[in-house]
Amino acid sequence: MKTLKITLLFALSLILVNCGDDKKKEEKETVKIGSNSSSSTSKKSDENVTEVVLLATDMMQFDKNEIRVPAGKKVKLTLRHTGKQAVEVMGHNFVLLTQGTEIPAFGAKASAARDNAYIPQDTDAVIVHTKMLGGGQSDTIEFDPPAPGTYDFICSFPGHYSVMKGKFIVE
């Protein structure tokens, strides 16, 4: 319980530090995969798989706030935690949520699921997720994208969902 309180205090302090940092928000990139564009953090390695690399930092940020993938092609998503903080202090994951999921309600439920890496067991709101990672770690998942549309993705570590989020768009 003491570790959770310390973690929450640390997370809240980082949120306050990052408040009002509009310049960094403007610098976040949109990556469109499956077109002729290229990026140092994403690529298309074969015709049937779309590869995405998503970076997460000790400053509670993803490097992308929008990911676009083509419908009907398997997605290979790699999450890399580029920071140095331990998973207990600054853990990150990628959680793709079903359409219509209320993020604050899901985040509260996730915060209570510490024993399951902050993924609630009794929910149908999660399409797919990575492992919870500490600094220097990475995890790769492969999945078929959901139906065309816009979906939310978040980090479900306590308190992170309010700033570590984005749109996953299936075209």
Side-chain angles (χ1 to χ4, degrees), residues 73-115:
K73 293 187 180 184
K74 188 171 282 296
V75 175
K76 182 177 181 180
L77 183 136
T78 299
L79 175 65
R80 290 188 188 140
H81 189 322
T82 61
K84 297 187 186 315
Q85 298 287 334
V87 68
E88 300 84 9
V89 177
M90 189 55 61
H92 296 314
N93 64 358
F94 167 88
V95 182
L96 183 58
L97 300 171
T98 57
Q99 290 177 323
T101 299
E102 293 292 329
I103 294 175
F106 178 84
K109 221 174 179 182
S111 293
R114 178 177 165 201
D115 293 339

Side-chain angles (χ1 to χ4, degrees), residues 115-126:
D115 293 339
N116 198 44
Y118 302 108
I119 301 293
Q121 291 182 343
D122 61 342
T123 183
D124 57 358
V126 176

Side-chain angles (χ1 to χ4, degrees), residues 23 49 51 63-64 106 132 148 154 156:
K23 185 176 180 184
V49 178
E51 292 192 34
D63 70 326
K64 298 170 186 58
F106 178 84
M132 187 64 66
I154 64 165
S156 67

Side-chain angles (χ1 to χ4, degrees), residues 88-171:
E88 300 84 9
V89 177
M90 189 55 61
H92 296 314
N93 64 358
F94 167 88
V95 182
L96 183 58
L97 300 171
T98 57
Q99 290 177 323
T101 299
E102 293 292 329
I103 294 175
F106 178 84
K109 221 174 179 182
S111 293
R114 178 177 165 201
D115 293 339
N116 198 44
Y118 302 108
I119 301 293
Q121 291 182 343
D122 61 342
T123 183
D124 57 358
V126 176
I127 296 171
V128 67
H129 66 87
T130 63
K131 296 175 187 172
M132 187 64 66
L133 306 173
Q137 297 178 326
S138 66
D139 187 31
T140 299
I141 55 174
E142 287 192 39
F143 60 98
D144 292 320
T150 301
Y151 302 81
D152 290 305
F153 69 87
I154 64 165
C155 171
S156 67
F157 192 86
H160 290 198
Y161 69 86
S162 63
V163 292
M164 293 187 76
K165 60 186 176 182
K167 299 296 182 186
F168 187 89
I169 302 168
V170 182
E171 300 178 309

